[in-house]
Amino acid sequence: METLTSLLGAINGVVWGPLMLILLLGVGIYLQIGLKLMPIRKLGMGFKLMWQGRDAKPSDKTSAKPGDEGEISPFNALMTALSATIGTGNIAGVATAIALGGPGAVFWMWITALVGMATKFAEAVLAVRYRETDSTGYHVGGPMFYIKNGLGRKWLWLGGLFSFFGAVAAFGIGNTVQSNSVADAMDATFGVPHWLTGVIIMVLAGAVILGGIKRIAKVAGKLVPVMGIAYVFAGLLVLIVNAGQIGDAFGLIFYYAFNPMAAAGGFAGAAVMAAIRFGVARGIFSNEAGLGSAPIAHAAAQTKNPVRQGLIAMLGTFIDTIIVCTITALVILTSTVWMEGEAGASLTALSFDAALPGFGNQIVAIALAIFAFTTILGWSFYGEKCCQFLFGTRSIMLYRVLFVLAIPLGAVAQLGFIWLMADTFNAMMAIPNLIALALLSPVVFKLTRDYFAGKDVLPGEALDHDK
């Protein structure tokens, strides 16, 4: 096991090293420039489309027009994607970024999000453009399908690699890591045994996951907005209490984004490169832009045009990082706890509790539990679609059962190795996806130009690029 851990650690150091961060940011910047900053300029339009798409009804498969097909509303597709992205990264990930990279890491998380909006837009556009209908009549899509149908059969092996990495990563970052984080928080805050937390999550998650995408989307559509708004409200309450320190917090973020952080109190200090590294890495960990996970959910959306879903999909990165992660960061930086050597979820909990004594840590524990629960739901769908691509539709139910059974095991396990494995496979998911995004970028640019020129190119219509 020690040899395997060492080997995996060496691989992790490479796949999450400078080259990966450059690749993630590089592809995002290329897409953002190619789109002429459209994802940022059309942010308001994205929110408008999201609001309009919340009541869409699944189409009648016997009479639907091309482009109207889909199992879930555009709004619920976004909520399903957000259910997987808003998780421990928003609470523990932000705290870890600050603890290891200093306040300047927050600035680089923002940059990652602004760049990642273009990446997430492109992912969803391609997911809808190249989605298929499986043997059960459901729409399936994501990187493996836009690799297969967009790049051609000779690239099928790349789609297979993505699916393998995704199916394995789902058991780590989308399952055992989440249940373990909740079990730790419940034990520390309320004294609930790890095994009991694991069993409860298994029963609740199993009731949803075994019902498939429609049930997952229905639960996500209700739970994600409520949990997100409640957490932001609690964070704003803390910031009202700490109002006098907000200006200083922003000053720390901008100053230390470009200047090394000296050691002070329990803080070990951080170089500018550390701020960039941990800011970008934790930003990607949180919003998943470039990993290729979210487009699997957006492929199931009922939508008339791939670009419309892309405009909605890019909101996931904005909401996750610019809004939720920023709230967490400001709560931490307006307290003094971050200088005392704490890290992870405990740093966030202590920061909340410093402003709201007695129940601040309970707010974080409950938020972490709900965030992690919805992440398990979202990633179960991602994993099963990856498994389906590799082994066919018959493998879906087996994957769901195994996924649900793994939840209590994660709650009681020592997760050092699993964290390492999940982190490594997440990065390895990103590599095939980023290659596909770069090669298929002309399709994204053409679809976007046509959409804003009033030429709606529907998912089933041919593109010049494909001929």
Side-chain angles (χ1 to χ4, degrees):
M1 180 59 77
E2 288 183 11
T3 304
L4 187 59
T5 301
S6 299
L7 177 62
L8 204 57
I11 296 172
N12 185 270
V14 173
V15 297
W16 275 120
L19 286 178
M20 170 57 77
L21 301 185
I22 290 169
L23 183 62
L24 282 162
L25 287 178
V27 171
I29 291 169
Y30 165 68
L31 291 169
Q32 192 69 271
I33 293 172
L35 292 166
K36 300 176 182 177
L37 303 183
M38 182 279 298
I40 296 173
R41 293 187 290 108
K42 299 293 185 180
L43 185 63
M45 183 179 184
F47 277 105
K48 181 180 178 181
L49 288 172
M50 178 191 74
W51 187 253
Q52 291 174 347
R54 71 195 189 282
D55 296 323
K57 298 289 189 284
S59 61
D60 178 355
K61 296 185 189 301
T62 62
S63 61
K65 298 177 182 178
D68 287 340
E69 298 91 346
E71 284 67 53
I72 57 178
S73 72
F75 176 83
N76 277 354
L78 175 62
M79 292 304 110
T80 301
L82 273 175
S83 74
T85 54
I86 297 182
T88 56
N90 298 81
I91 293 177
V94 176
T96 301
I98 292 172
L100 297 177
V106 179
F107 174 84
W108 295 106
M109 289 184 76
W110 292 340
I111 296 299
T112 301
L114 293 176
V115 169
M117 286 174 65
T119 309
K120 196 70 73 82
F121 170 82
E123 288 176 334
V125 167
L126 293 173
V128 175
R129 172 65 185 86
Y130 291 112
R131 65 185 177 182
E132 296 181 0
T133 304
D134 66 16
S135 60
T136 62
Y138 282 83
H139 287 81
V140 290
M144 54 284 206
F145 287 97
Y146 53 73
I147 289 171
K148 172 189 168 187
N149 298 325
L151 296 179
R153 290 277 175 178
K154 63 182 180 181
W155 291 91
L156 193 59
W157 62 273
L158 194 65
L161 277 180
F162 172 87
S163 297
F164 173 72
F165 296 143
V168 175
F171 276 95
I173 206 65
N175 186 320
T176 51
V177 165
Q178 303 297 330
S179 62
N180 192 267
S181 297
V182 177
D184 281 343
M186 292 294 105
D187 184 30
T189 307
F190 303 108
V192 180
H194 280 62
W195 69 268
L196 182 57
T197 298
V199 170
I200 292 171
I201 297 174
M202 180 184 70
V203 172
L204 294 176
V208 180
I209 290 169
L210 296 177
I213 181 57
K214 289 186 178 181
R215 194 177 299 173
I216 292 171
K218 186 175 181 181
V219 172
K222 299 288 191 300
L223 199 54
V224 172
V226 172
M227 75 169 188
I229 292 170
Y231 182 76
V232 169
F233 178 78
L236 291 175
L237 192 60
V238 171
L239 295 181
I240 290 172
V241 175
N242 297 340
Q245 285 75 48
I246 294 176
D248 291 339
F250 276 107
L252 290 171
I253 291 170
F254 286 106
Y255 181 80
Y256 289 114
F258 305 98
N259 295 278
M261 175 76 187
F267 188 78
V272 174
M273 194 60 220
I276 297 173
R277 178 191 171 192
F278 290 108
V280 173
R282 293 300 162 181
I284 294 297
F285 175 82
S286 179
N287 62 50
E288 298 180 12
L291 293 190
S293 50
I296 298 173
H298 289 288
Q302 180 195 1
T303 182
K304 294 181 179 179
N305 187 284
V307 176
R308 290 174 67 90
Q309 195 60 33
L311 289 164
I312 294 172
M314 71 186 190
L315 300 179
T317 302
F318 182 86
I319 293 168
D320 176 273
T321 306
I322 302 297
I323 296 178
V324 182
C325 285
T326 298
I327 290 291
T328 302
L330 290 177
V331 167
I332 291 170
L333 293 174
T334 54
S335 75
T336 58
V337 180
W338 69 276
M339 297 288 287
E340 297 173 5
E342 291 290 339
S346 61
L347 172 55
T348 306
L350 289 170
S351 299
F352 267 86
D353 210 55
L356 305 172
F359 63 94
N361 62 331
Q362 295 179 11
I363 291 174
V364 174
I366 294 169
L368 185 64
I370 298 174
F371 285 2
F373 176 74
T374 58
T375 297
I376 290 171
L377 300 185
W379 269 93
S380 72
F381 181 66
Y382 297 161
E384 78 170 52
K385 292 298 125 183
C386 288
C387 184
Q388 180 183 1
F389 184 83
L390 292 171
F391 304 111
T393 305
R394 291 183 178 179
S395 66
I396 290 177
M397 188 54 69
L398 175 61
Y399 187 92
R400 289 177 185 172
V401 171
L402 292 175
F403 194 89
V404 171
L405 292 176
I407 294 171
L409 298 178
V412 298
Q414 296 296 318
L415 285 191
F417 177 78
I418 294 176
W419 258 108
L420 184 61
M421 183 182 71
D423 201 33
T424 304
F425 275 78
N426 259 5
M428 294 172 82
M429 282 174 66
I431 295 171
N433 182 52
L434 292 169
I435 292 171
L437 289 176
L439 294 176
L440 291 171
S441 58
V443 179
V444 177
F445 299 153
K446 176 172 173 50
L447 281 168
T448 305
R449 285 195 305 271
D450 287 349
Y451 179 79
F452 287 105
K455 305 173 188 174
D456 272 7
V457 181
L458 299 177
E461 295 180 349
L463 295 168
D464 292 338
H465 178 80
D466 298 328
K467 295 178 180 177

